[in-house]
């Protein structure tokens, strides 16, 4: 590409943006000038339409198409084979089981550790510093985090020098180095650790903010009633932050169901570590079994659904109480 | 007020100029101007075009991509067609999506006949024009032409090639210890046992790790044995699923390979025990030969470049040098020479004269000689002068490919459907080396073969 080409392309982008702004401005101008009768209606349509169009093109249409593809063979005939494959193939079943393990362990541990950390550092000296330390992994991309942890788990056989932290420790204590990422089922747990490492900071920050929202009077009253620290935690703090807890748990659950980068970067789904999101990509694009990939996408969607519904319900109930 | 406005304008102009200059540094202005005047008489047959552009995409990256660009620089200058190549390691995964969305490049350099068949099946490919087909009939064998053909229509000529099934060894060690290059598979077994018995190291070093493609070097082993033990017909039936994946012939090939890969006494020299094969990167796996920690390493002709991972020529690859390769021998000494290998096919997604002119050039002996002279690769094009190859091994490889007596078969996993060839076969190798039985692994792979 030459500079002239590049400048030409930049000019195209700028022109596109200008044209877009002009059309939007013109639309708003006309909506504003709409007849008084029904102006509210026109304004509603004018402002909602762009978002609705984008959502249907970018979300609803692909969702429908994926659902159809999930019931098709590569040749386009109707079939249930893709789902039969997903629930009978040992490798595919293992993928589903792994996903369930992920979604059980990651939110639980990330939230529990985040909550404990938030409670312990609450109002301590250097709170900001402690928070910053735990929050930092969030700034790292999943791929970056995976590369870091891959080094931690690195394996060198027997008498060679260990460059992986974990094996270096094992060898220092006189043990034999372990092929962490190749040993089933510990490898799945070790991948989950990476996700927990990334997500704990998020849980901690949200929960810490929620804890600060609990009225000091409440805690003092509990203290006057002769409660100990644990009783105050279970009877005052936890009920006080229930809403935030649910948000944190569900957000991390959904993020976990979608996680793809960690598995792909660290083991590429080998050694029985694959999970649905990774297998979906592998099947659809590498194995060119679009139907199988779509079926997995649909299964993933069904798995996320209860969490989303639960989340919406809790939030609605909370609003009713207020 | 007015002054301030003026100053602001100046500032933004300066900023724009600075950005422009920086961008110039990033773009290829200088490279474009660099090519010297070429002798255009060779290129007259392709015609001249005014401002035509052909976009090309493929999996070829880095140094190999630079050499590719260099190989058609004269063509660009003489015909006026500008060729824009873009390499991506995700090309194979993305190309069908791009084609379906109407965003495919004009030419895609497809490294697998299986992928070519899938794209042709989708109806996205433009059949090759007559000049391309004429070139193929003149310069390539029937086998090669078939790999670019789908359902009776000829879509693409082959581009480059590689020969799989070389066994790398140290000529010095062989001479010193009196080892002979084996002429049959049994002799190879005897040789391996002799090396193991000599005691100071295990005979083979093996690395199967290759990121998300981990396992493929193992499939190459199996394919080589499949072709040598059971012959070309059985091999063809295997890749087209006329015999099931768990057929006894396939099991025999697996078990023969297992005699090395699953045998604690045979692997993994200089690296560790059997299980280390799946963590050792295929790029570095052969290097222990240089330290005398193993004697044999099975990998394709392209492994030549990995002996000097930092460039340079510290390690001499030659029959009298530090390392060299012999072809995995046939089952019986008088069997005809059979080799497996790989290659690429430039398929077209846009029906245009400049695209076909470019494809005709790529299928010619002119291009093949240009590219082979730049080093590192070979072609099965019969118009290539083997002396143009950059090394003794590549010269020998070209001669093998050009020999009409050679039975050539494309890498089997590249011919199989993606669900097997790019997924379950690789994964199967990993779990097989990890201890699963041959029967179990073959049954699993067979069950993933797509029904349609």
């Amino acid at each position: 590409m030459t500079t002239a080409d590049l400048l030409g392309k930049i000019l195209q982008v700028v022109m596109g943006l200008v044209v877009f702004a002009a059309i939007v401005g013109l639309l708003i101008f006309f909506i504003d000038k709409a007849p008084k009768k029904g102006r509210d209606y026109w304004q509603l349509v004018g402002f909602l339409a762009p978002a609705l169009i984008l959502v249907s093109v970018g979300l609803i249409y692909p969702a429908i198409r994926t659902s159809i593809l999930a019931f098709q063979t590569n040749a386009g005939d109707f079939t249930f084979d893709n789902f039969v494959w997903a629930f009978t193939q040992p490798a595919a079943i293992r993928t589903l089981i792994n996903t369930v393990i992920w979604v059980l362990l990651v939110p639980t541990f990330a939230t529990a550790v985040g909550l404990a950390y938030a409670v312990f550092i609450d109002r301590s000296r250097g709170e900001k510093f402690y928070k910053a330390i735990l929050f930092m992994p969030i700034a790292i991309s999943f791929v970056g985090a995976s590369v870091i942890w891959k080094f931690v788990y690195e394996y060198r056989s027997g008498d060679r020098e260990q460059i992986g932290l974990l094996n270096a420790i094992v060898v220092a204590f006189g043990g034999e180095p372990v092929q962490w990422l190749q040993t089933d089922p510990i490898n799945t747990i070790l991948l989950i650790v990476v996700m927990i490492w990334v997500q704990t900071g998020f849980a901690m920050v949200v929960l810490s903010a929620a804890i600060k929202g609990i009225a000091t009077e409440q805690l003092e009253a509990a203290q006057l009633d002769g409660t100990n620290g644990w009783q105050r935690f279970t009877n005052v703090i936890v009920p006080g932050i229930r809403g935030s807890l649910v948000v944190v748990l569900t957000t991390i659950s959904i993020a976990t169901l979608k996680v793809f980068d960690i598995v792909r970067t660290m083991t590429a789904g080998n050694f029985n570590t694959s999970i649905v999101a990774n297998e979906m990509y592998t099947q659809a694009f590498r194995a060119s079994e679009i139907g199988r990939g779509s079926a997995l996408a649909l299964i993933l969607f069904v798995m996320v659904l209860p969490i989303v519904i639960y989340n919406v319900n809790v939030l609605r109930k909370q609003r009713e109480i207020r | 007020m007015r002054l301030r406005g003026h100053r602001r304008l100046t500032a933004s102009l300066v900023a724009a100029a600075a950005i422009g200059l920086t961008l110039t540094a990033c773009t290829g202005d200088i490279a474009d101007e660099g090519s010297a005047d070429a002798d255009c008489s060779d290129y007259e047959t392709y015609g001249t075009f005014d401002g035509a552009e052909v976009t090309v995409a493929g999996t070829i990256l880095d140094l190999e991509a630079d050499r590719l660009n260099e190989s058609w620089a004269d063509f660009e200058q003489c015909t006026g067609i500008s060729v824009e190549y873009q390499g991506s390691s995700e090309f194979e995964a993305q190309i069908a999506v791009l084609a379906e969305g109407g965003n495919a490049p004009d030419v895609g350099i497809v490294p697998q006949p299986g992928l070519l068949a899938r794209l042709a099946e989708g109806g996205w490919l433009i059949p090759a024009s007559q000049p391309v087909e004429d070139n193929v009939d003149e310069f390539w064998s029937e086998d090669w032409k078939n790999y670019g053909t789908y359902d009776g229509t000829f879509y693409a000529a082959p581009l480059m090639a590689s020969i799989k099934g070389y066994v790398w060894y140290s000529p010095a060690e062989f001479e010193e210890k009196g080892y002979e290059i084996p002429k049959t598979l049994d002799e190879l077994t005897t040789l391996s046992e002799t090396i193991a018995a000599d005691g100071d190291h295990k005979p083979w070093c093996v690395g199967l790790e290759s990121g998300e493609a981990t396992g493929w070097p193992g499939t190459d082993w199996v394919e080589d044995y499949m072709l040598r033990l059971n012959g070309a017909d059985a091999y063809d039936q295997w890749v087209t699923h006329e015999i099931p994946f768990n057929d006894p012939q396939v099991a025999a090939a697996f078990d023969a390979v297992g005699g090395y890969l699953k045998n604690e006494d045979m692997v993994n020299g200089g690296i560790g025990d059997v299980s280390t094969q799946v963590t050792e990167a295929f790029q570095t796996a052969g290097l222990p030969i240089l330290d005398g920690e193993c004697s044999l390493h099975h990998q394709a002709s392209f492994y030549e470049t990995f002996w000097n991972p930092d460039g340079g020529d510290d390690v001499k690859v030659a029959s009298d040098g530090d390392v060299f390769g012999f072809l995995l021998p046939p089952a019986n000494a008088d069997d005809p020479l059979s080799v497996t290998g790989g290659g690429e096919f430039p398929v077209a997604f846009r029906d245009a004269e400049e695209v076909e002119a470019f494809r005709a050039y790529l299928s010619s002996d002119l291009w093949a000689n240009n590219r082979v002279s730049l080093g590192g690769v070979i072609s099965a094009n019969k118009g290539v002068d083997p002396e143009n190859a950059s090394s003794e091994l590549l010269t020998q490889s070209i001669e093998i490919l050009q020999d009409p007596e050679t039975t050539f078969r494309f890498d089997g996993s590249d011919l199989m459907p993606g669900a097997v060839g790019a997924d379950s076969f690789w994964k199967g190798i990993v779990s097989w080396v990890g201890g699963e039985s041959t029967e179990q692994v073959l049954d699993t792979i067979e069950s993933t073969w797509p029904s349609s």
Side-chain angles (χ1 to χ4, degrees):
Chain A
M1 200 188 331
T2 63
T3 315
D5 291 341
L6 195 65
L7 287 178
K9 276 179 183 144
I10 292 173
L11 199 70
Q12 270 179 1
V13 171
V14 172
M15 283 297 289
L17 288 175
V18 168
V19 169
F20 178 74
I23 291 175
V24 170
L26 216 63
L27 260 175
I28 292 174
F29 174 78
F30 279 118
I31 288 169
D32 199 43
K33 292 278 179 256
K36 231 189 194 107
K37 196 181 144 206
R39 183 181 291 176
D40 286 353
Y41 172 75
W42 281 111
Q43 279 173 348
L44 194 71
V45 171
F47 282 101
L48 277 183
L52 280 180
I53 292 170
L54 289 178
V55 165
S56 36
V57 171
L59 215 61
I60 298 175
Y61 169 70
I64 293 172
R65 194 168 141 76
T66 305
S67 312
I68 295 171
L69 285 172
F71 291 98
Q72 281 183 350
T73 62
N74 263 358
D77 306 320
F78 178 83
T79 177
F80 279 114
D81 283 358
N82 298 322
F83 290 93
V84 172
W85 169 84
F87 292 108
T88 58
Q89 263 299 303
I93 293 174
R94 188 60 205 267
T95 301
L96 294 175
I97 294 174
N98 282 343
T99 309
V100 171
I101 296 175
W102 273 76
V103 88
L104 287 179
L105 292 187
V106 176
T108 322
F109 275 90
T111 312
V113 175
L115 178 61
Y117 195 86
V119 171
F120 281 126
I121 62 159
D122 195 39
R123 298 192 183 94
S124 69
R125 279 179 65 200
E127 185 184 339
K128 278 184 188 151
F129 173 72
Y130 293 132
K131 269 189 180 172
I133 286 185
L134 198 68
F135 193 67
M136 252 186 298
I138 287 204
I140 304 173
S141 70
F142 281 141
V143 174
S146 308
V147 172
I148 294 170
W149 281 87
K150 213 175 166 183
F151 278 114
V152 174
Y153 299 146
E154 184 73 41
Y155 165 87
R156 288 278 182 278
S157 63
D159 31 0
R160 291 201 285 173
E161 193 189 358
Q162 297 298 325
I163 66 162
L165 180 66
L166 206 53
N167 270 327
I169 294 171
V170 169
V171 171
F173 282 98
E176 279 287 308
V178 181
Q179 300 201 38
W180 298 107
L181 289 176
Q182 284 72 43
T183 313
D184 178 36
I186 184 112
N187 50 11
T188 295
I189 307 292
L190 292 173
L191 296 190
I192 287 174
V193 167
V194 181
M195 182 78 178
I196 294 175
W197 182 71
V198 174
Q199 292 290 343
T200 303
F202 164 74
M204 182 270 297
V205 171
V206 175
L207 296 176
S208 172
I211 290 171
K212 297 217 185 299
I214 297 173
T216 335
E217 294 85 350
Q218 247 180 314
L219 286 167
E220 278 167 3
Q223 207 161 10
L224 284 176
D225 285 344
T227 54
N228 61 27
W230 177 249
Q231 285 168 327
R232 277 202 299 283
F233 174 72
T234 53
N235 294 324
V236 183
I237 295 182
V238 170
I241 60 168
R242 174 161 289 150
S244 307
L245 269 179
V246 170
V247 170
V248 167
L249 272 172
T250 49
T251 313
I252 298 181
S253 305
I254 294 174
T256 307
L257 277 172
K258 291 192 301 185
V259 75
F260 158 77
D261 337 36
I262 293 180
V263 172
R264 196 171 152 88
T265 313
M266 293 182 76
T267 63
N270 273 312
F271 321 114
N272 286 333
T273 56
S274 195
I275 57 172
V276 171
N278 177 65
E279 204 57 27
M280 201 169 84
Y281 180 89
T282 307
Q283 289 299 329
F285 298 115
R286 214 180 62 201
S288 51
E289 289 291 320
I290 308 281
R292 289 177 185 174
S294 304
L296 286 173
L298 215 59
I299 293 169
L300 189 63
F301 177 71
V302 171
M303 287 168 96
V304 180
L305 215 54
I307 303 173
V308 176
I309 292 172
Y310 175 70
N311 204 356
V312 170
N313 261 340
V314 168
L315 290 180
R316 202 173 50 206
K317 266 190 206 136
Q318 265 188 341
R319 206 171 299 147
E320 278 163 12
I321 294 167
R322 277 174 204 162
Chain B
M1 189 66 201
R2 209 183 143 199
L3 184 75
R4 206 191 287 159
H6 185 72
R7 198 178 284 163
R8 203 179 283 160
L9 181 70
T10 319
S12 48
L13 276 179
V14 169
I19 292 169
L21 281 174
T22 322
L23 290 176
T24 318
C26 305
T27 55
D29 294 21
I30 299 156
D32 273 1
E33 287 157 10
S35 56
D37 284 334
D39 173 17
C40 281
S41 56
D42 290 340
Y43 296 90
E44 274 164 9
T45 50
Y46 304 112
T48 49
F49 296 80
D50 192 22
E53 191 184 280
V54 176
T55 57
V56 186
T59 49
I60 299 158
L61 299 168
D62 304 326
L63 174 66
E64 294 296 309
D66 292 343
R67 285 176 174 163
L68 207 54
N69 276 315
E70 206 178 324
S71 74
W72 55 59
D74 288 351
F75 172 81
E76 285 184 273
Q77 208 188 357
C78 294
T79 57
I81 299 173
S82 109
V83 179
E84 298 288 339
Y85 176 77
Q86 189 123 53
S88 156
S89 56
E90 289 290 303
F91 171 81
E92 289 146 289
Q94 300 299 341
I95 187 66
V97 180
L98 289 175
E100 193 170 12
N103 291 318
D106 298 340
V107 173
I109 301 178
V110 173
Q112 299 151 6
L115 184 56
L116 182 142
R118 183 178 159 220
L119 294 170
E121 199 179 359
W124 300 304
L125 297 187
I126 311 293
S129 59
Q130 198 59 46
V132 178
E133 191 158 1
D134 291 345
N135 275 339
V136 168
D137 290 336
E138 184 179 351
F139 295 118
W140 267 277
S141 71
E142 194 66 29
D143 289 337
W144 277 98
K145 188 183 176 184
N146 278 338
Y147 293 127
T149 307
Y150 176 76
D151 210 9
T153 311
F154 174 66
Y155 285 100
L159 197 65
M160 291 171 275
S162 63
I163 291 192
K164 306 215 170 192
Y166 268 107
V167 177
W168 295 89
Y169 69 103
S170 158
E173 188 197 355
F174 268 50
E175 193 171 332
E176 182 189 328
K177 299 187 179 164
Y179 300 148
E180 294 276 332
I181 289 174
K183 291 185 190 63
T184 65
L185 289 178
D186 287 340
E187 284 186 32
L188 183 67
T189 311
T190 315
L191 171 67
S192 306
E193 280 162 358
T194 310
I195 296 172
D198 282 353
D200 60 339
H201 61 251
K202 292 178 184 167
W204 292 84
C205 31
V206 181
L208 305 177
E209 198 274 338
S210 175
E212 59 153 16
T214 297
W216 71 258
T219 67
D220 282 4
W221 274 84
V222 173
E223 287 152 10
D224 274 332
Y225 271 81
M226 186 71 197
L227 182 62
R228 285 160 178 77
L229 290 179
N230 304 315
D233 289 341
Y235 189 89
D236 292 340
Q237 289 165 355
W238 177 51
V239 298
T240 52
H241 210 215
E242 280 165 41
I243 58 172
F245 206 101
N246 47 7
D247 187 272
Q249 295 179 82
V250 186
F254 262 81
D255 287 337
V257 175
Y260 300 106
L261 299 197
K262 295 179 75 147
N263 186 342
E264 202 66 59
D265 300 330
M266 292 290 166
V267 289
N268 201 1
I271 301 165
D273 57 13
V274 167
S275 69
T276 57
Q277 293 171 80
V278 291
T279 43
E280 184 63 25
F282 81 93
Q283 293 96 331
T284 55
L287 302 182
I289 290 183
L290 302 176
D291 307 324
E293 291 176 323
C294 65
S295 304
L296 303 163
H297 179 64
H298 176 271
Q299 193 51 274
S301 56
F302 61 70
Y303 201 75
E304 190 180 0
T305 51
F306 292 119
W307 292 110
N308 293 296
D310 306 321
D313 48 6
D314 293 344
V315 176
K316 196 172 163 227
V317 182
S319 51
D320 56 352
D322 301 313
V323 284
F324 200 60
F326 62 82
L327 268 178
L328 193 71
N332 305 304
D334 49 356
D335 282 353
L337 186 61
S338 303
V339 295
T340 57
E344 301 92 0
F345 299 85
V347 297
F349 294 94
R350 183 162 70 97
D351 197 1
E353 266 182 52
E354 61 265 27
V355 175
E356 288 311 315
F358 178 60
R359 289 215 292 168
Y361 171 58
L362 289 185
S363 62
S364 68
D365 55 335
L366 177 62
W367 181 84
N369 277 307
N370 280 350
R371 177 63 193 89
V372 167
S373 308
L374 293 170
V377 299
I378 53 173
S379 170
N381 191 312
K382 286 183 186 132
V384 171
D385 180 359
E387 294 306 315
N388 280 341
S390 54
S391 74
E392 188 184 343
L393 184 93
L394 294 183
T395 304
Q396 180 190 318
S397 298
I398 292 176
E399 282 163 359
I400 292 170
L401 285 176
Q402 290 180 342
D403 184 348
E405 297 298 309
T406 303
T407 305
F408 178 86
R409 282 296 176 273
F410 212 92
D411 182 312
S413 53
D414 287 343
L415 295 169
M416 296 174 188
V420 178
D423 193 33
S424 64
F425 196 178
W426 296 346
K427 291 210 174 91
I429 290 286
V430 171
S431 49
W432 180 66
V433 169
E436 251 182 58
S437 73
T438 302
E439 191 190 357
Q440 209 175 348
V441 169
L442 293 190
D443 288 346
T444 306
I445 300 175
E446 169 61 19
S447 70
T448 61
W449 200 290
S451 47
S452 56

